[in-house]
């Protein structure tokens, strides 16, 4: 009897502590919009990202257009990816566009020195990339070569893409099968110019930017949105110098790169699939650093550009773990767990909540590389938990931003604390409100009370992504372990909304 009472007491205690509460106030739209370009993707010539991911051998038994695999294209179309950044990354500053045009069998070969030392046959070049973007119905975002290229090379690439004149280079595009200008708009002037893109100081880079930008011309109907190579994580001086030295109006955006490293140690990043709660917690702590980075870089930009004419473009983000065992370490192939989904959802909530300054972002890197949306194994393909987050969150694209006030309970592990809950909200063109909520606590359900100022709504429906274990993944044997499911844990309670948010979950609500 004594033992039974003890068991009941322990059960009661854990039931009591396994819950906490949060409150959210959602205000009316303040005039800001969540740009769809925040939901952009990045695909580099790296590992099996392009080759094997998008562009496959003719003999592979999957549906293809030319050599572009259509299973991958169709999956990405479903989540409305708005833009695709290419050809790198570090590869961009070694890439010479003329190697990737004309008859494929005559294209020069090169060694991809950044990524695994493999032979690059240049079979996927400018025309193939733009054919892919057309299939995806997304905008191309091309990163030009500043590190090892020339002003002339970049200038001619833009002319090749966008000019409808009789110039030799524009006519070459026509002879290569595309008489119409491609009208590429998003243009990166170098990549990580502080590192693999040329080891430059910010002072040197800004001078280079001005030179390259001067000859990166606008052609009729194709105004360029030039994006300067921005800071590495918390290098605030880089942002300061760029904002001080590059005249407003010259750059459309300034980039920022930040990767979540689970351990925080670049030499031993941590496994994608095997981690403890303490390691999970540390990963989320590092993920939430994005909020601080965005705030501090934005504050610098605000001093030079109070009208927010220059976009902060987070064109590389995501979790970077150790590569999967027995894979080429230069290929950066990693699995993708429920933890990745929580990272994606949390980061997208941060971006939505900073949509006044962040107008564009690209997850690294779409297929088979780093925090991928899709993994392939020859003809097989699977959708990762991160893919499902982008699927749930697509309703925020171009939505009217709804400002949030949040009081979150703490999630504490090993004496350190993070907010358990994060939220963002928007209203779509037909007046439906979407609220995305994340509960990072691995153990506790959170009851959220949401107050919606002056908003009329009658019904609420929802979707949820969660799983039994934080380490759960989709595999080629079990590709549907993590799927979006219906969520019935949200109820109208007078004018308020009451949500029972399960531990380690992402929820999207729709109010009509
Ligand atoms: O995304 C992988 C690499 O990370 C990119 O090539 C580079 O820009 C960054 O350092």
């Amino acid at each position: 009897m004594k033992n039974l009472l003890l068991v009941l007491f322990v059960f009661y205690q854990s039931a009591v502590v396994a819950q906490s509460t949060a409150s959210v106030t959602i205000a009316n739209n303040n005039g800001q919009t969540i740009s769809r370009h925040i939901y952009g993707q990045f695909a580099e010539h790296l590992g099996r990202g392009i080759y094997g991911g998008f562009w496959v051998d003719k003999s592979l038994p999957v549906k293809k257009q030319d050599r572009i695999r259509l299973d991958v294209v169709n999956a990405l179309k479903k989540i409305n990816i708005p833009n695709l950044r290419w050809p790198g990354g570090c590869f961009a500053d070694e890439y010479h566009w003329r190697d990737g045009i004309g008859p494929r069998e005559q294209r020069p070969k090169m060694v991809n020195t950044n990524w695994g030392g493999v032979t690059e046959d240049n079979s996927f070049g400018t025309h193939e990339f733009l054919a892919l973007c057309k299939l995806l119905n997304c905008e191309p975002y091309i990163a030009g070569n500043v590190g090892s290229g020339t002003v002339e090379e970049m200038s001619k690439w833009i002319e090749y893409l966008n000019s409808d004149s009789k110039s030799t280079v524009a006519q070459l595009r026509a002879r290569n099968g595309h008489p119409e200008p491609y009208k590429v708009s998003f243009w990166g002037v170098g990549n990580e110019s502080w590192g693999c893109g040329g080891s430059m100081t910010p002072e040197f880079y800004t001078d280079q930017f001005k030179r390259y930008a001067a000859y990166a011309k606008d052609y009729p109907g194709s105004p360029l949105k030039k994006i300067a190579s921005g800071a590495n994580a918390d290098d605030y001086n880089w942002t300061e110098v760029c904002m001080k030295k590059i005249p407003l109006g010259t750059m459309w955006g300034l980039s920022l790169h930040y990767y979540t490293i689970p351990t925080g140690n670049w030499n031993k990043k941590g496994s994608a699939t095997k981690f403890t709660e303490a390691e999970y917690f540390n990963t989320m702590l590092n993920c939430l650093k994005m909020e601080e980075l965005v705030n501090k870089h934005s504050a610098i930009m605000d001093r030079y550009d109070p009208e927010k004419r220059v976009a902060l473009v987070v064109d590389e983000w995501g979790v970077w773990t150790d590569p999967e065992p027995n894979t080429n370490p230069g290929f950066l192939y990693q699995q993708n767990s429920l933890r990745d989904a929580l990272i994606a959802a949390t980061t997208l909530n941060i971006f939505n909540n900073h949509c006044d300054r962040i107008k564009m972002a690209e997850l690294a890197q779409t297929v088979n590389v780093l925090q991928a949306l899709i993994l392939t194994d020859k003809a097989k393909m699977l959708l990762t938990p991160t893919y499902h987050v982008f699927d749930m969150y697509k309703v925020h694209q171009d939505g009217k931003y709804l400002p949030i006030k949040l009081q979150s309970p703490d999630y504490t592990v090993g004496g350190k604390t993070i907010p358990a809950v994060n939220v963002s909200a928007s209203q779509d063109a037909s007046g439906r409100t979407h609220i995305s909520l994340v509960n990072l606590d691995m153990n506790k359900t959170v009851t959220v009370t949401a107050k919606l100022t002056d908003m009329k709504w009658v019904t609420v429906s929802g979707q949820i992504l969660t799983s039994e274990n934080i380490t759960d993944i989709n595999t080629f044997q079990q590709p549907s372990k993590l799927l979006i499911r219906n969520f019935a844990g949200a109820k109208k309670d007078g004018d308020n909304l009451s949500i029972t948010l399960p531990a380690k979950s992402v929820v999207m609500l729709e109010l009509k």
Side-chain angles (χ1 to χ4, degrees), residues 42 44 46 85 88-92 114-115 191-192 194 196 257 259 266 316 320 332 364-365 369-370:
F42 171 37
E44 180 167 13
L46 193 178
R85 178 175 183 250
C90 295
F91 183 79
N114 282 293
W115 307 118
N191 167 75
E192 296 197 349
W194 39 264
C196 64
H257 288 184
Y259 285 96
W266 279 88
E316 287 187 31
W320 190 330
L332 311 186
Q365 302 198 359
V369 177
L370 298 177

Side-chain angles (χ1 to χ4, degrees), residues 214-425:
Y215 301 96
K217 305 273 185 195
D218 288 346
Y219 290 90
S222 312
L224 279 185
K225 294 182 175 131
K226 291 169 212 159
I227 298 164
S229 170
N232 178 23
D234 59 1
D235 182 354
Y236 299 114
N237 182 50
W238 188 280
T239 298
E240 181 86 42
V241 176
C242 287
M243 292 305 295
K244 193 191 298 177
K245 290 191 62 186
I246 300 175
L248 288 182
T250 322
M251 61 175 163
W252 179 83
L254 175 61
S255 84
L256 166 67
H257 288 184
Y258 176 66
Y259 285 96
T260 297
I261 310 296
T263 58
N265 175 358
W266 279 88
N267 298 320
K268 187 95 199 71
K269 303 182 185 75
S271 161
T273 53
K274 295 185 180 67
F275 45 87
T276 61
E277 180 170 7
E279 287 162 335
Y280 160 71
F281 180 89
N282 205 40
T283 309
M284 297 319 304
L285 193 74
N286 293 337
C287 164
L288 286 164
K289 170 113 178 149
M290 183 66 91
E291 173 79 32
E292 176 189 325
L293 294 174
V294 169
N295 279 326
K296 291 190 176 167
H297 285 290
S298 300
I300 296 167
M301 295 175 82
D302 285 350
R303 278 197 275 111
Y304 296 91
D305 173 30
E307 286 168 13
K308 301 185 198 296
R309 290 166 60 194
V310 179
L312 183 59
V313 176
V314 190
D315 56 14
E316 287 187 31
W317 67 271
V319 60
W320 190 330
T321 69
D322 291 336
E324 284 304 297
N326 308 317
T327 62
N328 184 333
F331 281 13
L332 311 186
Y333 176 74
Q334 63 192 47
Q335 247 292 359
N336 197 287
S337 70
L338 176 59
R339 179 179 69 176
D340 295 60
L342 300 183
I343 290 167
T346 298
T347 307
L348 292 170
N349 278 345
I350 293 172
F351 293 166
N352 288 345
N353 287 324
H354 286 278
C355 65
D356 58 334
R357 182 62 84 177
I358 301 179
K359 305 284 180 202
M360 192 177 195
E362 282 75 23
L363 175 72
Q365 302 198 359
T366 327
V367 194
N368 292 331
V369 177
L370 298 177
Q371 187 171 356
L373 300 174
I374 292 176
L375 302 178
T376 67
D377 177 13
K378 300 195 180 71
K380 286 185 259 174
M381 178 194 97
L382 68 78
L383 307 175
T384 66
T386 300
Y387 173 94
H388 294 306
V389 169
F390 274 78
D391 194 4
M392 290 165 83
Y393 273 56
K394 67 187 176 198
V395 289
H396 283 313
Q397 292 190 21
D398 289 337
K400 287 183 187 164
Y401 172 64
L402 304 178
I404 299 271
K405 270 199 197 127
L406 166 70
Q407 271 191 314
S408 166
D410 289 341
Y411 173 35
T412 304
V413 174
K416 287 186 184 161
T417 291
I418 57 174
V421 175
N422 60 79
V423 185
S424 69

